[in-house]
Amino acid sequence: MTERPFREALIDLDAVTANVRTLAERLGTPAMAVVKADAYGHGAVPVARAALAGGAAWLGTADLGEAFELRAAGIDAPILAWLHDPGADFGPAIDAGIDLGLSAEAQLHRAADAARTAGRPAAVHLKIDTGLRRNGVQPDEWAGAVAAAAQLERAGLVRIRGIFSHLANTSAEADAAQLAAFERALAVAAEAGLRPELRHIASTAGALTRPEARYDLVRLGIACYGIPPFADGTTSAELGLVPVMTLRGRVAAVRRIAAGDGVSYGHTWRAERPTKLALVPLGYADGIPRQASGRGEVLLAGARRPVVGRIAMDQFLVDVGDDAVEVGDEVVLFGDPATGAPSADDWGVAADTIGYEIVTRIGPRVPRGYLGGA
Ligand SMILES: *Cc1c(COP(=O)(O)O)cnc(C)c1O
C-alpha cells in the first residue's frame, strides 16, 4: 500500500542534497537554497535540511512566517526573508536571528525601532531595484537610503550585512544593464561608508549563465528542485540535476469505450476508434492545470499516455488503447524524464506555464512522501 499510494508527491531528499552539492561545486560561490512557498511545494523543513546537507550556506524565504517555520523546526542556519507585510513587527525576526531583506528606507527605520527594543542590531540586506521593478529601493532614493543605513549602523541599530537585487532574465543586454546598475549602487553604498560582506543578485538562471553575476552568494531556488530555470527545452540531465518531485497515483478505474463516444465534461474529445480509458485520481484541486486538458501526458504501463477530454477537479482520463492497464496500476504524472516520465516542464508546456508553477501549485490533498534525507 505505502509503495503505491492513491495520490502522492514523492520527494527525493537525496536529490536535493546532490543538486545543491553539484551547483555549489560548479558555481564556486556560496549558495543560498531558496525554500519559499513550502520549498516550491516540496516541504520546507525537510528540503532545508537536505539542502544544508549538500552545502547550502544560507536559506532564503519570501515571508518571515516561512523563516519562523524553519527556526521552529530547530534549523539554525543563516536565513534571509525579503517580502514583508507592511505592518510586520521585525522584533521577533531579530530575536530569532533572521536576516531582513529590506526594500525601503521606512523599513530600515522600523527595523531600527525593533532593534532598540530587542537590544541587538537588525541584520539587514538592503535591496536595490536594478530594473525588475517589483521591490527594492528605487535608484533615485538609494543615496538617501544608504545614508540612513550608515547612520543607523553607526548607532548600533542595524548591521548592513548584504546588498542585493534580482535580475529580470530578459536578455543578455538587459542583465548587463542591471549588473551595471548594481555596481553603481554598490559604489554609492561604499561612499556612504557601508561595507556589506554579501553582495548578491543572481537566482538560478543568472548564476548558471553569468559568472560575473555570482558575487558573494547565489540564491538558488528551482535548480535545488532539479528543474531547469530556462524555458528553452534545456533538460535537468543537461544541467547535471535530478528532479526531486515525482507526482504519482494509482489508476482508479478502467473502461472500454466505442468509436464516437465523448469523454469527460463537455465531451471535448471523442474516441476515433474503440479504445480503453484509465482514470487518474488527480485534478485541478490537486494543482493539475485544467489548461493542460487534451495536452498533458502521463507515464502508465511503460508508455506515455495522452490526457483526453477535460481535466476535472479530482480526476482526468488518459487513453491507453488496447494495452494491459489495470485498476491499481501506478501512474506517474511527472518525475525524472530518465525514467520515461514526463517532466514538470512538459506539463508547463502543456499548460502554457513553467515547471516552477507546476510543482509549486500541487495542492494539500496530495500527501508528500519522503525518500532519503539524513
Ligand atoms: C524566488 C527567488 C529566488 C530563486 O529563484 P529561482 O529562479 O527559483 O532560482 C531568488 N531570489 C529571490 C529574491 C526570489 O524571490
Side-chain angles (χ1 to χ4, degrees):
M1 259 321 267
T2 47
E3 282 188 6
R4 292 163 63 193
F6 186 48
R7 304 186 183 98
E8 181 182 52
L10 185 64
I11 309 302
D12 182 351
L13 294 172
D14 292 341
V16 174
T17 302
N19 290 336
V20 172
R21 184 168 291 138
T22 299
L23 292 159
E25 280 169 12
R26 184 182 321 154
L27 301 175
T29 306
M32 170 185 290
V34 178
V35 295
K36 64 190 181 187
D38 200 26
Y40 293 36
H42 295 64
V45 168
V47 165
R49 290 209 173 95
L52 293 169
W58 279 80
L59 298 171
T61 67
D63 301 3
L64 281 172
E66 298 175 319
F68 291 133
E69 185 191 343
L70 301 174
R71 284 284 183 262
I75 293 172
D76 57 11
I79 303 178
L80 176 67
W82 53 71
L83 184 61
H84 307 295
D85 184 318
D89 171 9
F90 291 130
I94 296 171
D95 291 338
I98 295 164
D99 285 30
L100 301 168
L102 299 184
S103 284
E105 192 180 327
Q107 284 183 327
L108 270 173
H109 291 295
R110 293 205 3 261
D113 289 344
R116 231 174 251 117
T117 311
R120 60 190 269 209
V124 170
H125 299 223
L126 201 55
K127 188 170 188 185
I128 169 80
D129 179 5
T130 54
L132 185 60
R133 307 198 173 91
R134 299 196 307 201
N135 63 2
V137 177
Q138 301 209 28
D140 59 346
E141 295 173 352
W142 181 248
V146 294
Q151 197 181 7
L152 295 170
E153 192 168 68
R154 285 193 295 272
L157 294 171
V158 304
R159 161 87 190 92
I160 303 298
R161 207 185 206 186
I163 290 182
F164 75 117
S165 189
H166 197 48
L167 295 171
N169 301 325
T170 303
S171 64
E173 297 71 36
D175 283 355
Q178 283 196 257
L179 290 173
F182 192 51
E183 284 292 333
R184 287 194 295 276
L186 291 171
V188 171
E191 270 169 44
L194 297 180
R195 297 284 175 271
E197 63 210 67
L198 295 169
R199 301 158 300 163
H200 48 109
I201 189 166
S203 57
T204 299
L208 289 177
T209 54
R210 315 199 136 264
E212 70 279 20
R214 292 176 193 157
Y215 288 94
D216 308 309
L217 186 68
V218 288
R219 302 187 306 266
L220 304 178
I222 201 70
C224 300
Y225 308 102
I227 297 172
F230 313 113
D232 65 356
T234 303
T235 65
S236 305
E238 282 163 8
L239 297 174
L241 302 174
V242 183
V244 170
M245 183 188 290
T246 299
L247 183 67
R248 61 183 187 166
R250 301 183 73 185
V251 171
V254 174
R255 71 196 47 226
R256 288 197 170 278
I257 61 168
D261 283 354
V263 166
S264 191
Y265 291 125
H267 285 181
T268 56
W269 184 84
R270 281 178 194 278
E272 284 175 4
R273 49 177 167 74
T275 191
K276 212 163 51 179
L277 303 176
L279 184 66
V280 180
L282 291 101
Y284 59 76
D286 305 302
I288 312 307
R290 187 172 178 275
Q291 178 88 351
S293 295
R295 295 158 83 183
E297 288 183 342
V298 302
L299 174 65
L300 171 56
R304 301 266 290 248
R305 316 285 180 175
V307 174
V308 290
R310 288 236 173 93
I311 293 171
M313 188 181 295
D314 315 301
Q315 49 198 298
F316 63 87
L317 291 151
V318 294
D319 183 4
V320 299
D322 281 330
D323 294 353
V325 170
E326 307 285 341
V327 169
D329 283 356
E330 183 185 77
V331 51
V332 178
L333 286 77
F334 62 81
D336 186 347
T339 65
S343 65
D345 275 329
D346 289 334
W347 278 87
V349 169
D352 293 329
T353 180
I354 52 177
Y356 288 75
E357 186 179 351
I358 297 296
V359 291
T360 303
R361 63 192 285 168
I362 300 305
R365 192 167 62 179
V366 180
R368 271 60 172 175
Y370 290 94
L371 268 181

